[in-house]
Each structure stands twice: as C-alpha cells, then as structure tokens.
Amino acid sequence: MKKTLTIPFKEEGKYEIKVSVSDGYNTVSEIIYVRVWVPRPGDYYPMAIGNKWTFKDKKDSIIDFEVIDTINIDGKKAFVKMTTTTGVENAVNYSYIEKTSEVINQHAVGGYSAGDDTIIFSPVLPLYKFPLIPGETWEVEFNVSVPGGFFVGSGKAIYEVISEETITTKAGTFNHVFQVKEDFTWEIFGQELDRTIGRQWLAPNVGIVKFSNEQTRGGETFITEAELQSYSLAQ
C-alpha cells in the first residue's frame, strides 16, 4: 500500500529525514536527505563570449573579467575568462570554466589556450553548485598538473554558501545575492604552496558583483577586495 506524507518545511536548507516502516514484528529504517529551495528567476553565472564585468578594488585598481573564447577540454566546452588588473605588470590570468544547469566547474587556470604555464585540476573544481542554499557545503580533493601531465601538487577546496543578501555597488542594487566562500589549499610533498580564502557574491542575471581574496603564498599574504562598477552581457 502506497502512502504519501506531506512535510511542511518552513525554511530553506538541507533536511535529514528518518523513515521507519514496521509490520509489527520487524522495523526497517532509512535516512534520506531533502534540499528545500524556493526557486528564484535568473542566471547566477552568465557565460557568453563578450560578457564583461569591471571591478574596482580598495587601491582603486581596475579589475576586468571578460569572456573571450571557448575551448574544448576533455570533450567538454569550457569558456575562457580573462582577468586583467590595471597598474600591475603582467597581471593577466585565464580561467577555463564549464557551465551546466547544476554546477560551475573550473578546469584550469593560467596561460591562454592552455599554454605551458597553465595548471590543471583533476578532478575539476566545483566552484558553485545550484541551487545555492545558505548552509550548504561541498568539497573536493584534487591533484594539480601542467600540460603534458607533470604532477605539481595536490590540494583540497571547501565551499560553503554563507548567506543571501542585498548588495549595493556603483553598478546598482542587487537582491537575492548569494555569498559563497572557498577555502583553497594547494601543497606539494607536504609543503603548502598556496592557501586562499575567497568570497564571491553572485547576483541573478549579473554574476559576481563583489569578491574578496586572502591569498598566502611564500609566507606573504595578499588581500584583494573589489566591487562591481559596470557590466555588459552579450545578447
């Protein structure tokens, strides 16, 4: 006999439900997990060639994100996102981003067209998992290599959706903005090469509207905080 049970959840989040069935003599129990989310319209990470976001940091440096190309990685389409910073010599970086309806994956960072200075993550880094629900966490242990397969370390990245907020920047006021935290550690032979704690604030139909990075490398810590100044999205 099939029975339907309705549970009135009052808040978004991840719930643990224990289900027990008994025939009067024996009891069988199982724990299931339910994610409760109120759908919000909008694309939280719009990716198309020509999309551009301009930020300003605390030192008044201009940081541009721009989607400039696509590339095939392991049979999957990845967008090439270029990051440039004014006033910093050779401050050009490339990220290779795969987008699905459920996750934003980062395959690699570094040189354009996966050049020799590119570092590749295996498995890929799941930067954002949708739907974004405050309190949700996920993590991945990964290896790092360069083109040609040469191993250059391993690490762990831990992600958490911190909050849902309203954010105002020079580019406007944005509602239903989700703050996502990334705690990224990269090491080789037990020696820590990079520890970065990053936070990104994602708005619907815009993408990142604010970000901060606290990166420790070689005993030095560098902090970047920037807010969106303007953006343009390809139609």
Side-chain angles (χ1 to χ4, degrees):
M1 181 172 60
K2 181 179 179 181
K3 289 188 177 181
T4 300
L5 178 63
T6 301
I7 303 175
F9 296 104
K10 294 183 179 180
E11 296 181 357
E12 292 184 319
K14 184 177 181 179
Y15 291 86
E16 178 182 295
I17 301 174
K18 184 177 181 179
V19 180
S20 297
V21 178
S22 175
D23 61 2
Y25 298 97
N26 299 301
T27 300
V28 176
S29 298
E30 183 174 348
I31 293 176
I32 61 175
Y33 296 93
V34 176
R35 299 172 72 185
V36 177
W37 180 68
V38 177
R40 297 165 180 79
D43 185 346
Y44 277 83
Y45 208 81
M47 298 294 283
I49 294 175
N51 285 4
K52 185 175 182 179
W53 302 262
T54 297
F55 299 83
K56 181 183 285 188
D57 68 11
K58 298 292 185 179
K59 298 179 181 178
D60 289 333
S61 294
I62 299 300
I63 302 170
D64 285 322
F65 295 169
E66 184 175 3
V67 182
I68 63 170
D69 204 351
T70 61
I71 189 172
N72 186 293
I73 299 179
D74 295 330
K76 298 178 180 179
K77 175 183 176 182
F79 293 92
V80 181
K81 186 179 80 171
M82 180 176 69
T83 301
T84 57
T85 304
T86 60
V88 180
E89 187 177 358
N90 299 321
V92 180
N93 188 59
Y94 301 92
S95 299
Y96 301 90
I97 305 295
E98 175 199 356
K99 177 180 179 179
T100 76
S101 61
E102 297 181 346
V103 66
I104 303 296
N105 289 320
Q106 180 171 264
H107 286 262
V109 296
Y112 184 46
S113 296
D116 291 341
D117 58 345
T118 298
I119 60 172
I120 302 166
F121 304 109
S122 178
V124 297
L125 303 185
L127 301 181
Y128 312 107
K129 285 190 174 183
F130 301 106
L132 298 171
I133 300 174
E136 282 281 88
T137 64
W138 61 94
E139 61 184 60
V140 61
E141 294 184 359
F142 58 87
N143 290 324
V144 184
S145 62
V146 295
F150 185 73
F151 173 78
V152 291
S154 60
K156 186 175 184 178
I158 303 171
Y159 302 89
E160 181 180 3
V161 183
I162 301 296
S163 59
E164 181 180 355
E165 310 172 28
T166 295
I167 297 290
T168 298
T169 73
K170 186 177 179 180
T173 296
F174 307 97
N175 298 312
H176 303 302
V177 178
F178 288 96
Q179 180 191 163
V180 181
K181 176 185 175 183
E182 177 190 40
D183 189 340
F184 172 95
T185 304
W186 171 20
E187 62 179 35
I188 186 168
F189 305 127
Q191 180 72 34
E192 186 174 286
L193 299 177
D194 188 314
R195 171 79 184 278
T196 300
I197 298 177
R199 296 173 187 265
Q200 299 83 40
W201 284 259
L202 279 69
N205 300 317
V206 179
I208 297 173
V209 296
K210 178 181 174 182
F211 69 88
S212 68
N213 285 306
E214 182 178 317
Q215 182 181 44
T216 300
R217 179 175 288 185
E220 292 188 78
T221 299
F222 305 91
I223 298 175
T224 302
E225 297 176 306
E227 294 187 350
L228 187 66
Q229 304 296 295
S230 64
Y231 64 98
S232 60
L233 304 180
Q235 298 299 319

